């Protein structure tokens, strides 16, 4: 999937990352929210970003029907492993989680968390947040400059 970013760049979600996230859609009435971090690359000399992989729910995450909180230490270990395997080219790009609704909308809690996260991360001007609904995937970009949350536009689905 490719989304148009706020700065005319593109956010590409690899097939591997996409299929991993889709595997956690909350199709059943008792399915719990799932989530993790986005790992990928900022493409040099462009505004493009590629999500190569995502972490998946870890044993110490908190998962409920309408709530997900990741265990920072376990997901950080996943990120460190990807960074080492890629010789330092893959980095933290943001977060993803599921919602039990067809076309997902971020909750006030989601928006508050995104703004908190962008304030804590140094060295990046933006991060991405993906919500996987039962039928659609949506992506938001959050600026570190002003905390503004922008919905990205789907360009094409691979």
């Amino acid at each position: 999937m490719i989304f148009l970013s706020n700065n005319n760049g593109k956010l590409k979600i690899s097939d591997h990352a996409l299929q991993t996230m889709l595997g956690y859609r909350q199709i059943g009435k008792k399915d719990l929210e799932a989530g993790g971090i986005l790992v990928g690359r900022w493409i040099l000399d462009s505004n493009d970003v590629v999500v190569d992989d995502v972490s998946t729910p870890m044993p110490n995450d908190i998962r409920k029907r309408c709530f997900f909180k990741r265990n920072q230490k376990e997901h950080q270990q996943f990120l460190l492993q990807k960074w080492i395997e890629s010789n330092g080219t893959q980095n933290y790009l943001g977060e993803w989680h599921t919602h039990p609704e067809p076309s997902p909308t971020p909750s006030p809690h989601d928006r508050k968390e995104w703004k908190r996260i962008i304030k804590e991360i140094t060295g990046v001007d933006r991060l991405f947040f993906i919500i996987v609904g039962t039928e659609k995937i949506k992506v938001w970009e959050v600026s570190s400059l002003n905390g503004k949350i922008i919905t990205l536009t789907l360009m094409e689905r691979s």
Side-chain angles (χ1 to χ4, degrees), residues 12 18 26 33 46 61 73 79 85 88 96 108 147 150 155:
K12 181 179 190 300
L18 178 63
Q26 293 178 262
E33 276 196 19
S46 79
D61 291 341
K73 185 176 180 181
L79 175 61
E85 289 172 2
W96 75 275
I150 304 293
M155 290 183 61

Side-chain angles (χ1 to χ4, degrees), residues 17-31:
L18 178 63
Q19 292 307 314
T20 300
M21 291 185 291
L22 288 174
Y24 287 93
R25 283 183 298 164
Q26 293 178 262
I27 305 295
K29 293 191 182 296
K30 294 184 181 181
D31 289 348

Side-chain angles (χ1 to χ4, degrees), residues 3-68:
F3 291 84
L4 182 60
S5 179
N6 191 38
N7 59 4
N8 293 322
K10 295 179 183 81
L11 174 76
K12 181 179 190 300
I13 303 172
S14 73
D15 290 339
H16 170 73
L18 178 63
Q19 292 307 314
T20 300
M21 291 185 291
L22 288 174
Y24 287 93
R25 283 183 298 164
Q26 293 178 262
I27 305 295
K29 293 191 182 296
K30 294 184 181 181
D31 289 348
L32 304 176
E33 276 196 19
I37 61 172
L38 308 174
V39 179
R41 299 165 282 141
W42 303 92
I43 305 303
L44 290 176
D45 300 323
S46 79
N47 290 321
D48 296 344
V49 179
V50 177
V51 176
D52 293 306
D53 207 347
V54 295
S55 66
T56 56
M58 303 283 182
N60 292 309
D61 291 341
I62 299 170
R63 298 180 64 193
K64 299 186 182 212
R65 178 68 177 158
C66 293
F67 181 80
F68 175 81

